[in-house]
Amino acid sequence: MSELLEKARSYEKAAIHKVSEHVRPVFHFSNPVGWMNDPNGFSEYKGEHHLFFQYYPYATRWDSMHWGHAKSGDFITWEYLPAALAPDQEYDNFGVFSGSAIEDGDKQVLIYTGVAEKALENGEKKITQDQCIATGDGIDFEKCTTNPVITSDLLPEGSSSEDFRDPKLWKEDGRYYVVVGSRSQDGSGQIALFYSDDLKSWKLGNILDQSENKLGKMWECPDFFALGDKRVLVISPQEMEAEGLEFHNGNNAVFLLGDYEKEKMQFTREKVQSADYGLDFYAPQTMLTEDGRRVMIAWMQSWDNAMYPADQPWSGMMTIPRELSVQNGRVYQLPVRELENYRKNVVTYSDVCIESETVLQGIEGRTIDLELKLKGTEYGKCRIKLASGEKHYSEIIYDRKDGILTFDRTYSGFRRDTISTRSMLVRSCRDVLKLRILVDRYSVEIFVNDGEQAMTSLIYTPQSAVGITFSSNGKVYMDAVKYDIEAES
Ligand code: FRU
């Protein structure tokens, strides 16, 4: 093992004991210590779910990237494993960037972007990004001696060698395939598909899709899979311009839906769909479970608006893993069904008429799974205040007439000027709005109309703010089912 990896492992081992479980989210994955961004290597290995992540153990800021590692039997409680990769080779001396993993026979195969910083003769520094392989046994990994295995000179002419990253690997009919993000001659994103029979020697199959400067600049963190009768290409574009209520996070996550001709390795895009409408959702990655579910997890934070208390020894959280499906030509997402095993203390209300500010006994808490149905046509706006205390609250506002759902965390306890609201057009505006709201200690995830849309945001509100209130400017008839979520890692 390299000195750098050994150092990371012994550092995190000592540091992790200093973080009390009471300050961590209850049912969302958080990093042991230091900094975390993208999920990596989200995959099955020997019957367990593995999650790796972009990781800098030594401080709660982005720096020289390592891969952290954890595993779970059910996506809800996780066991930390020792850091998996460190930037310890010449070809990855600037960082082991994002990538993916598969189970291949009895081996776990990782593919990642090795970022190298080289000093040029004129004294300037040059960054290159290439794809590298490491294989292991679920704990320890050995980097391939022929790394890097996919270099940017395999890309079409004019493509960037500095922005070429985030390989997502799968194996199909005995052949390995990988999609990688990069920038084409026009400076904007493209997704390249490569294939190999032995993981070592790779060929470019095709360019699956391109931004042409319409959907942001660099396309990061691609994923590519069949879902129902569609093929989905997931991208995380940088520097995307907002359009109406869409694409407001600068760095966005987008589903491209279409068809795929496997023989020609050709993807035809039919639809562009926002993956999430909240303030904190980026770089999603999916895996296929042994029982055939396509499950997605994402970094629950934003690059431009990353806010977490300065005294917190860990910086990041992942979303709840979400089961994906295609319905009516769109991707739907709902929390993994395993979460239901952690539901306790059910409280149910039916047809409660809400008008003035109302508290429903038993409907409160900071680690809850709350299902609401808002019914009727006699109201304009309905407001739900969550994580509410003397001074604090975060609000969900449904404007029924305009069909707009807003999340507002202005009073969640910020001490800095930061972006606090997002709105989205509810696609299926019926007389009943269905919301499933997951509140954990520091986050609110809203699933609208059975997962047709989702909205994910962080709140660092003091934990004493547990109240929930409902109000409306007309009569809303509401059904509510609330569960506490109790989990221990
Ligand atoms: C996305 C990203 C990836 C890169 C990684 C570096 O958030 O920028 O493209 O591999 O983070 O940490």
Side-chain angles (χ1 to χ4, degrees):
M1 193 188 318
S2 71
E3 252 176 61
L4 269 183
L5 186 59
E6 214 172 319
K7 182 175 158 211
R9 285 184 170 190
S10 51
Y11 181 85
E12 64 183 3
K13 201 170 162 191
I16 201 167
H17 297 297
K18 297 185 194 143
V19 186
S20 154
E21 275 310 306
H22 300 292
V23 301
R24 288 191 180 278
V26 168
F27 57 101
H28 288 82
F29 179 77
S30 61
N31 54 313
V33 65
W35 167 268
M36 172 174 80
N37 52 289
D38 314 354
N40 296 158
F42 189 42
S43 58
E44 221 61 312
Y45 181 65
K46 298 204 166 155
E48 290 177 298
H49 316 313
H50 282 249
L51 176 67
F52 301 80
F53 47 92
Q54 288 288 278
Y55 184 37
Y56 182 64
Y58 309 110
T60 54
R61 61 176 152 75
W62 190 92
D63 207 313
S64 164
M65 280 292 106
H66 295 55
W67 274 33
H69 190 190
K71 68 176 183 179
S72 170
D74 67 358
F75 294 115
I76 306 298
T77 58
W78 293 89
E79 180 191 334
Y80 291 125
L81 297 172
L85 300 174
D88 48 18
Q89 304 295 318
E90 211 178 310
Y91 54 81
D92 61 20
N93 63 3
F94 191 80
V96 287
F97 275 22
S98 283
S100 53
I102 59 165
E103 178 166 27
D104 198 19
D106 65 345
K107 289 266 176 278
Q108 194 171 28
V109 176
L110 314 184
I111 185 164
Y112 68 94
T113 301
V115 185
E117 187 180 66
K118 290 170 197 144
L120 300 177
E121 275 174 11
N122 64 7
E124 284 174 13
K125 286 183 175 157
K126 185 178 160 53
I127 292 278
T128 52
Q129 303 192 334
D130 298 300
Q131 316 320 316
C132 306
I133 297 270
T135 49
D137 58 1
I139 302 274
D140 296 310
F141 300 88
E142 219 168 281
K143 292 179 182 174
C144 179
T145 50
T146 56
N147 277 341
V149 293
I150 312 178
T151 51
S152 58
D153 49 18
L154 291 179
L155 287 169
E157 219 178 305
S159 302
S160 166
S161 55
E162 265 176 55
D163 285 315
F164 176 42
R165 58 181 175 269
D166 311 337
K168 178 75 189 332
L169 176 69
W170 74 99
K171 193 175 183 183
E172 201 175 331
D173 302 330
R175 183 167 256 193
Y176 302 94
Y177 296 88
V178 71
V179 280
V180 190
S182 73
R183 277 194 297 120
S184 73
Q185 205 158 19
D186 69 13
S188 69
Q190 65 181 0
I191 302 300
L193 171 70
F194 298 89
Y195 62 94
S196 167
D197 290 323
D198 59 5
L199 287 169
K200 289 184 181 130
S201 145
W202 291 84
K203 287 204 176 89
L204 176 68
N206 210 349
I207 296 297
L208 288 182
D209 203 351
Q210 283 181 276
S211 168
E212 293 171 332
N213 279 302
K214 292 185 189 125
L215 293 176
K217 289 287 177 187
M218 171 64 185
W219 283 4
E220 301 187 309
C221 303
D223 200 343
F224 192 52
F225 49 86
L227 192 67
D229 57 352
K230 288 283 154 224
R231 195 79 190 198
V232 184
L233 178 59
V234 186
I235 52 169
S236 290
Q238 293 181 311
E239 297 172 62
M240 214 173 160
E241 204 177 322
E243 283 172 37
L245 295 177
E246 305 281 328
F247 314 129
H248 277 260
N249 285 358
N251 283 33
N252 283 276
V254 177
F255 299 130
L256 306 176
L257 286 96
D259 277 328
Y260 183 55
E261 273 182 76
K262 193 180 159 201
E263 297 316 312
K264 293 189 190 155
M265 300 190 203
Q266 202 168 314
F267 174 71
T268 313
R269 185 206 308 169
E270 292 162 355
K271 196 173 279 177
V272 178
Q273 181 189 335
S274 283
D276 194 279
Y277 287 88
L279 291 143
D280 297 289
F281 184 97
Y282 195 59
Q285 189 172 89
T286 73
M287 62 172 276
L288 197 59
T289 60
E290 274 169 4
D291 58 8
R293 290 176 288 160
R294 180 61 61 178
V295 176
M296 174 178 78
I297 195 166
W299 182 38
M300 193 158 56
Q301 191 152 290
S302 137
W303 274 117
D304 294 329
N305 201 15
M307 22 70 80
Y308 43 86
D311 57 355
Q312 194 178 270
W314 49 276
S315 72
M317 287 169 276
M318 297 297 178
T319 62
I320 193 80
R322 303 168 181 188
E323 289 179 25
L324 302 185
S325 61
V326 164
Q327 294 174 42
N328 313 316
R330 292 178 58 83
V331 178
Y332 276 55
Q333 42 186 308
L334 279 175
V336 282
R337 61 196 67 171
E338 286 86 342
L339 183 62
E340 289 160 33
N341 300 333
Y342 294 85
R343 285 170 160 179
K344 299 271 152 56
N345 314 326
V346 62
V347 178
T348 308
Y349 286 86
S350 305
D351 281 320
V352 189
C353 180
I354 306 287
E355 217 170 346
S356 56
E357 191 150 85
T358 307
V359 172
L360 299 175
Q361 217 199 344
I363 306 260
E364 60 169 29
R366 281 296 288 276
T367 55
I368 60 167
D369 186 347
L370 177 63
E371 294 175 339
L372 301 177
K373 272 189 206 158
L374 307 180
K375 301 181 285 188
T377 53
E378 295 170 47
Y379 70 100
K381 278 188 188 166
C382 177
R383 295 169 178 274
I384 303 154
K385 286 185 179 164
L386 302 160
S388 164
E390 237 170 75
K391 289 206 306 203
H392 302 113
Y393 62 88
S394 292
E395 204 167 25
I396 298 171
I397 304 149
Y398 180 49
D399 180 331
R400 191 189 61 80
K401 291 206 177 104
D402 291 339
I404 289 178
L405 191 77
T406 297
F407 180 76
D408 184 347
R409 63 180 183 194
T410 308
Y411 299 105
S412 65
F414 283 124
R415 286 156 196 269
R416 286 177 182 273
D417 185 17
T418 177
I419 297 167
S420 299
T421 67
R422 276 281 183 273
S423 292
M424 68 176 215
L425 201 59
V426 176
R427 286 188 55 82
S428 306
C429 266
R430 305 178 206 108
D431 293 345
V432 179
L433 178 77
K434 289 170 87 175
L435 301 177
R436 178 157 175 208
I437 305 165
L438 302 185
V439 184
D440 200 343
R441 286 187 174 134
Y442 313 105
S443 60
V444 178
E445 286 165 286
I446 309 167
F447 298 89
V448 182
N449 288 333
D450 300 309
E452 187 175 16
Q453 287 163 291
M455 216 179 191
T456 302
S457 306
L458 294 175
I459 53 164
Y460 284 100
T461 313
Q463 298 304 312
S464 55
V466 295
I468 298 178
T469 62
F470 304 91
S471 63
S472 161
N473 62 352
K475 290 190 170 70
V476 184
Y477 295 90
M478 189 178 78
D479 297 343
V481 184
K482 186 224 75 174
Y483 306 89
D484 294 324
I485 298 291
E486 292 176 8
E488 260 172 54
S489 278

